[in-house]
Amino acid sequence: MSNSRRQDSSEESARSRRGDGSDETLASTPTASVSQAGISSTLPSKSYLHIDLGFNLYQNGRQLNPNREQMDTIMSVFPTCYASSIMSPILVLRYRELPPKPWPLTIAGLPVWITKDPESLPLTIGLPGHALPIDLDVEINLWETPKKETVRKIFDELDNRGINAIRVQWLGVRFLAFVKGEPSKGWAGRFPRRVNGILITYIFGDISGSICAQRVKSPVVGDPDNSNYSPSLRPGMMISSGSGPDQTELLSTSGVCVRSPSGKKYITCASHGFPLGLERVYHPDRHGHYLGEVKEMFWDNDVSLFELNKDQPMTYSRQTFNPPGGELVRLKDPFGLHIGESIHMDTAFNGHCEGIVMVIDTVRVPSDEPVTPHRYITGIFTYLSDGSDSFTEGCCGGPVWTDGREVVGQFQFLSMDKLLCYVPSFAHLIELGYELSEIN
């Protein structure tokens, strides 16, 4: 991890290191003009989420670590920053006094984590093992997302060593495995330290509960777009479960139109937004237009499908709201993403948001089919921002797509530390033969 620290009399040299441990110094690059009062007017003003300093530290799906000159330029953007470091792929900036908001999402192409805590880290490190490494007959390289079959082989190898892993994550330069239960005496001597030369660390505990139960963030709601777009529907609208027996209403976000192998067309949505007994879908709220009814539920990853009411003429577009507007082109498996890649979301509750892929996540759960003992749920954790501090509960179900307008999955929850958002993927729909579609 490269570090730079501002001192009273002089500045400590920043040593740049690659994720594989080898030294790497980047060529000197032009620097942007920075005011001592904060960001200079020479920096881009129309996109405060992304600060361009004249050099890019994320190129071709890989993070490059800054040299001393570049790190000094990064720290000078905010004069109260006294230390900086890289925890791949995040740029960590430490302040004695936090800068005024809104804060940027990226600086020089890297996601930024801003803190006053001198010791905290943005991502979990985990505990290292000491046993002989796992040696798979596949190639695994830094910054190249492994194939999903490779991750499943890691699960199998951990099983062979008596390690009950229920989740394996890829973070670009390392693996992180979640193990059910508490560590036993001498556990590190049984747990492999690497997979094909790549570091793997471990987190212990009872973490087998529903992912949906972790969605506990409920910030102050702003002024959502509760416009009624019927009969011309599209992704990112406000939708409602109607009123429950206790008059409770659950608001969420409309997803994308998908076509099943048999030709039926459905709209994706968040399962927890339409619990049993509340499967009817309304827009924009319970007093609005009846859209249809939930027909398919995939509780493991919180994705459901509802069918539009055939008694009323309605269309459903591939086009998202502006900005950046445009048609979505296809569904994308998360194992086709790179750590550090840009993603987008647009909902009625937070508007257009931009984010960075931080983690490729795989959860293993028991299967109902005897021939297949396990099923695998894939998703991503992303650093997502609209320039504010919060995401409302209504964002759940909002589709998330890449710069190439390929749909990866849908928003589910903001983590307790308010850093990462979880996006369950549509990989299971792809495996079942579903395709992105529209209703004309």
Side-chain angles (χ1 to χ4, degrees):
M1 185 164 67
S2 60
N3 299 274
S4 184
R5 181 174 295 272
R6 178 176 288 136
Q7 298 180 333
D8 294 337
S9 57
S10 63
E11 293 192 359
E12 200 175 63
S13 281
R15 195 177 186 191
S16 182
R17 287 195 168 271
R18 293 166 56 116
D20 58 3
S22 61
D23 292 337
E24 175 183 42
T25 302
L26 302 181
S28 177
T29 53
T31 58
S33 172
V34 179
S35 165
Q36 288 303 307
I39 302 176
S40 166
S41 59
T42 61
L43 296 176
S45 58
K46 68 177 182 178
S47 181
Y48 56 85
L49 289 178
H50 305 283
I51 296 180
D52 183 359
L53 298 178
F55 53 89
N56 189 353
L57 298 174
Y58 181 77
Q59 299 178 22
N60 301 320
R62 292 173 176 264
Q63 170 214 299
L64 303 177
N65 289 317
N67 58 28
R68 177 175 178 175
E69 181 183 0
Q70 292 167 334
M71 192 65 92
D72 289 347
T73 301
I74 290 170
M75 292 178 66
S76 67
V77 171
F78 297 110
T80 58
C81 177
Y82 70 88
S84 60
S85 60
I86 299 289
M87 185 180 189
S88 297
I90 299 178
L91 172 65
V92 180
L93 301 180
R94 303 188 189 277
Y95 296 79
R96 293 186 177 90
E97 179 182 347
L98 292 176
K101 295 178 179 179
W103 295 341
L105 175 67
T106 67
I107 294 180
L110 297 184
V112 180
W113 191 63
I114 294 175
T115 182
K116 289 178 65 176
D117 191 321
E119 297 181 353
S120 62
L121 295 173
L123 298 174
T124 302
I125 296 177
L127 300 173
H130 305 312
L132 292 175
I134 293 174
D135 187 14
L136 301 177
D137 58 348
V138 296
E139 186 175 355
I140 307 176
N141 298 312
L142 296 174
W143 297 110
E144 295 181 12
T145 303
K147 296 180 179 180
K148 64 175 63 178
E149 293 79 12
T150 298
V151 175
R152 294 178 185 182
K153 287 182 178 180
I154 293 175
F155 275 108
D156 293 340
E157 287 295 327
L158 293 175
D159 284 343
N160 292 338
R161 302 192 186 200
I163 300 170
N164 187 12
I166 63 172
R167 184 177 226 144
V168 172
Q169 297 181 339
W170 170 248
L171 292 88
V173 295
R174 61 190 176 98
F175 290 101
L176 182 63
F178 292 73
V179 181
K180 187 175 182 180
E182 297 300 323
S184 59
K185 184 177 180 180
W187 69 270
R190 297 187 298 105
F191 283 57
R193 60 182 180 270
R194 291 183 178 273
V195 177
N196 283 30
I198 304 291
L199 178 68
I200 182 170
T201 56
Y202 305 89
I203 294 178
F204 295 86
D206 185 7
I207 51 176
S208 58
S210 167
I211 295 175
C212 186
Q214 299 179 40
R215 193 182 64 83
V216 297
K217 176 69 176 175
S218 182
V220 176
V221 178
D223 184 21
D225 176 13
N226 58 359
S227 305
N228 191 331
Y229 292 94
S230 297
S232 301
L233 311 174
R234 68 183 63 226
M237 306 180 307
M238 180 188 295
I239 55 177
S240 165
S241 65
S243 299
D246 58 355
Q247 298 304 304
T248 297
E249 179 183 30
L250 299 175
L251 296 176
S252 57
T253 296
S254 62
V256 296
C257 177
V258 294
R259 183 179 66 247
S260 73
S262 66
K264 287 189 175 182
K265 294 183 179 182
Y266 302 93
I267 313 302
T268 61
C269 62
S271 297
H272 70 263
F274 300 91
L276 296 177
L278 293 176
E279 292 95 348
R280 291 169 67 88
V281 183
Y282 297 86
H283 166 66
D285 55 28
R286 58 187 171 190
H287 303 296
H289 191 74
Y290 170 61
L291 296 187
E293 189 167 340
V294 172
K295 297 295 185 180
E296 298 282 347
M297 288 190 174
F298 303 94
W299 289 106
D300 286 336
N301 62 358
D302 198 42
V303 174
S304 284
L305 305 176
F306 72 87
E307 189 174 17
L308 291 182
N309 179 15
K310 297 179 181 179
D311 294 333
Q312 299 186 35
M314 290 178 280
T315 62
Y316 206 96
S317 175
R318 294 172 179 248
Q319 191 172 48
T320 61
F321 288 98
N322 288 312
E327 289 194 350
L328 302 172
V329 295
R330 65 181 62 87
L331 302 180
K332 185 180 182 72
D333 192 296
F335 280 87
L337 298 171
H338 292 282
I339 301 299
E341 186 171 343
S342 298
I343 51 92
H344 304 265
M345 180 178 75
D346 195 327
T347 76
F349 298 86
N350 276 73
H352 177 237
C353 307
E354 298 181 44
I356 305 294
V357 177
M358 306 298 288
V359 177
I360 308 294
D361 182 71
T362 302
V363 178
R364 187 174 68 173
V365 297
S367 173
D368 295 331
E369 301 178 11
V371 294
T372 307
H374 299 105
R375 289 182 295 109
Y376 298 87
I377 303 167
T378 60
I380 63 173
F381 281 91
T382 175
Y383 200 19
L384 197 65
S385 177
D386 64 346
S388 71
D389 291 336
S390 61
F391 287 92
T392 67
E393 289 189 352
C395 288
C396 297
V400 173
W401 64 89
T402 67
D403 283 346
R405 307 200 66 78
E406 299 168 303
V407 186
V408 179
Q410 64 185 33
F411 181 94
Q412 186 179 1
F413 66 81
L414 181 65
S415 61
M416 291 285 289
D417 58 13
K418 305 179 185 178
L419 176 66
L420 299 181
C421 301
Y422 181 66
V423 178
S425 80
F426 291 151
H428 66 296
L429 295 180
I430 297 174
E431 292 174 357
L432 291 172
Y434 285 81
E435 297 179 347
L436 189 70
S437 189
E438 60 192 346
I439 298 174
N440 299 314

